[in-house]
Amino acid sequence: MTRKKFTTTLDEKVIKDIKIKAIQENTDVSTIIEKLLIEYLNKNNSQK
């Protein structure tokens, strides 16, 4: 899969918390967000 840069705006606390969580899980924020978005899209596609 080709990755592409994506920029958005989030609440400061959300950014801080997700960065801390990524460090704790030895991963990066992009990986967490991508996983959550895929789950969200799959869930919504199955409801159609």
Side-chain angles (χ1 to χ4, degrees):
M1 171 177 11
T2 304
R3 298 179 69 104
K4 188 169 182 161
K5 187 171 182 148
F6 174 77
T7 304
T8 191
T9 305
L10 301 170
D11 182 88
E12 280 184 58
K13 181 166 178 13
V14 172
I15 295 169
K16 179 182 176 187
D17 291 348
I18 197 64
K19 285 181 177 182
I20 291 168
K21 192 71 170 171
I23 291 167
Q24 291 170 344
E25 295 181 4
N26 197 32
T27 189
D28 56 61
V29 172
S30 295
T31 300
I32 295 172
I33 292 172
E34 183 174 50
K35 178 183 172 189
L36 292 170
L37 287 173
I38 290 168
E39 288 175 9
Y40 174 80
L41 292 171
N42 287 337
K43 177 182 173 188
N44 285 314
N45 285 337
S46 66
Q47 293 178 353
K48 289 183 178 181

